[in-house]
Amino acid sequence: MTADGQSTAARDVVDVVALGESMVTFLPGRPGRLADVPSFDRAIGGAESNVVCVLAAAGHSARWVSRVGADGFGDHLVETIGGYGVDVSAVERDPARPTGIYFRTAGDRATDAHEVAYYRAGSAASAMSVANVDLAAVRAGRVLHLSGITPMLSDGCLGLVRELTALRAHRPLISFDVNHRPALGRSADGPGVLLELARGADLVFVGEDEAAEVWGLVGAEAVRDAFPDPETLVVKQGGRGATVFHRKHVTFVPAPHVDVVAAVGAGDAFAAGFLSATLRGLPVRDRLRHGHLTAAAALTVPGDLAAPPLRDHADRLVALDERAWGRLRLGPGWTDAADRADEEVRTP
């Protein structure tokens, strides 16, 4: 039986399930310090929910599992994520804890001027545990997508992720995005916890710079040496591209040139594109190219979430030869050019 009394059979199997905290995000109405910004626009933010929102928009069946407060912000999260076509029936409401929120400045997150103010301590999602999450709903997917954010929220969340990544028969394919967040505490044991959980996954996403910061690993080969167990390891290398270690094979695909509007949400979009192509059984090279294209969709809009390119359009671009792929440049509005794929192929 599940936590809400339903039988396991009552849960529909979907393509992808993601578990993790989402928060209401307040985006500044103008550039400047948080102290100087007079007004903010409301949006949503959450690594795992971002992934399933993009996958649902791309035509896959997807479910988000989490806890939110019994408040208006919780209502907004559930309604907005559900509006993408994501199944939110397993999201629990917590009457005693609030929904997390955060405020950020308009600047690039990579700069020193960027500010983020989190109000997530004691949030409903931080109280997730094996005891209060519908495990049957979480496991009823072809893929279960997790990130390194969740286990850093609380001991209960860490225990939950350990349970979900434990080796057992008939578990879904476990996708794990390291998503290191230094501000989340567990500073002493955080690197070891992330290493342990990633090694228990089937598919791991990690940034090359992230691996250097967390574990002191320099270069994609060093990352693979530290993660020999996952069948598939994706090392993201920024604007250069990404390298995939799949079983005994190594594949590098350069990223297309992108006229960046905002460098937010690209990592989650890349994971969604790669997972979409994985679910379709495409070759590793094509999975990487789909990841790059979906990331480019996010990079060319102001917010965290962007509609992915239409599948036929993306497939045409993925099928380009190496020379044409190398000449590809994508700017704002490129995903709207569904019938003009050749027009996006131009030199910088």
Side-chain angles (χ1 to χ4, degrees), residues 59 77 100 124 172 176 186 200 285 324 337:
L77 282 175
F176 186 83
R186 291 192 179 277
R285 188 210 69 166

Side-chain angles (χ1 to χ4, degrees), residues 100-331:
I101 64 173
Y102 72 97
F103 296 76
R104 68 172 175 85
T105 52
D108 188 334
R109 290 179 181 177
T111 69
D112 292 337
H114 182 64
E115 297 176 75
V116 183
Y118 286 104
Y119 299 90
R120 75 192 309 174
S123 69
S126 70
M128 288 190 294
S129 70
V130 173
N132 62 21
V133 167
D134 185 345
L135 297 181
V138 176
R139 290 173 169 143
R142 295 169 58 192
V143 174
L144 170 58
H145 183 69
L146 305 167
S147 89
I149 298 172
T150 304
M152 300 298 146
L153 297 178
S154 67
D155 288 341
C157 286
L158 173 57
L160 173 61
V161 177
R162 278 179 167 151
E163 167 66 21
L164 295 172
T165 55
L167 290 174
R168 64 178 72 248
H170 309 301
R171 78 174 191 178
L173 184 148
I174 304 295
S175 167
F176 186 83
D177 191 336
V178 172
N179 246 324
H180 177 53
R181 295 289 189 272
L184 281 178
R186 291 192 179 277
S187 56
D189 62 347
V193 167
L194 291 174
L195 188 65
E196 165 208 337
L197 296 172
R199 284 174 171 170
D202 304 297
L203 165 59
V204 174
F205 298 95
V206 63
E208 189 174 52
D209 55 347
E210 183 178 43
E213 178 185 353
V214 180
W215 302 293
L217 302 171
V218 179
E221 294 287 348
V223 180
R224 183 53 162 174
D225 288 343
F227 293 91
D229 299 316
E231 181 179 66
T232 306
L233 170 68
V234 183
V235 181
K236 298 175 289 182
Q237 296 163 296
R240 288 189 293 129
T243 298
V244 169
F245 298 86
H246 180 65
R247 298 172 183 160
K248 296 183 179 180
H249 302 285
V250 183
T251 305
F252 172 79
V253 171
H257 299 282
V258 178
D259 298 328
V260 176
V261 173
V264 293
D268 301 330
F270 180 94
F274 191 94
L275 286 171
S276 175
T278 299
L279 286 161
R280 295 172 61 196
L282 299 184
V284 170
R285 188 210 69 166
D286 293 2
R287 299 178 196 183
L288 279 171
R289 286 190 172 189
H290 275 283
H292 286 319
L293 292 173
T294 311
L299 289 168
T300 50
V301 298
D304 289 37
L305 271 171
L310 295 176
R311 182 174 292 184
D312 288 347
H313 185 195
D315 284 346
R316 289 198 298 270
L317 295 178
V318 165
L320 293 172
D321 62 33
E322 297 297 328
R323 182 179 178 184
W325 177 263
R327 295 174 57 236
L328 191 62
R329 183 161 190 164
L330 305 168

